[in-house]
Amino acid sequence: MSKSCCPVKTVGVAGSCRYRRVLWIALAVNAAMFFIELGASFSAELASLLADAVDFAGDAANYGLTLGAITLGTLWQSRAAPLKGTCMAGNGGFVLAMAAWVGSWPPRPS
């Protein structure tokens, strides 16, 4: 038998080691970009960067949920789907609220 990178036996593409590895890489990149853009948004005082940082955080959270659901099996994969949708809707709501809040500020002199 060959060595396996996966401690849990899984079936199909969604449970393959390669798929998990790609999800881990995507999670790490999105988390790193969240922190980079969060710092940049505060230093530059740009709401657009903050909104993009929140999007990166939401993507990282969804990748984490997907990794957890794959490990737990198909029942949890189906249960995770509404949670992932709620997370995405929450990100959109935050971006809309942030845009409304920043839009209510008085204009800066040029």
Side-chain angles (χ1 to χ4, degrees), residues 26-38 48-64 87-88 91 94-95:
L27 187 145
V29 168
N30 276 281
M33 287 303 300
F34 164 70
F35 288 111
I36 290 167
E37 284 201 348
L38 187 66
S48 59
L49 279 178
L50 182 59
D52 198 39
V54 169
D55 180 51
F56 277 120
D59 290 344
N62 276 329
Y63 291 134
C87 180
M88 299 288 280
N91 284 345
F94 175 80
V95 170

Side-chain angles (χ1 to χ4, degrees), residues 65-66 68-84:
L65 279 170
T66 301
I70 287 172
T71 303
L72 295 173
T74 55
L75 175 65
W76 287 99
Q77 289 174 22
S78 64
R79 289 180 178 172
L83 182 59
K84 289 170 68 173

Side-chain angles (χ1 to χ4, degrees), residues 12-23:
V13 174
S16 72
C17 292
R18 185 175 184 177
Y19 186 72
R20 286 182 181 192
R21 202 171 316 136
V22 168
L23 284 174

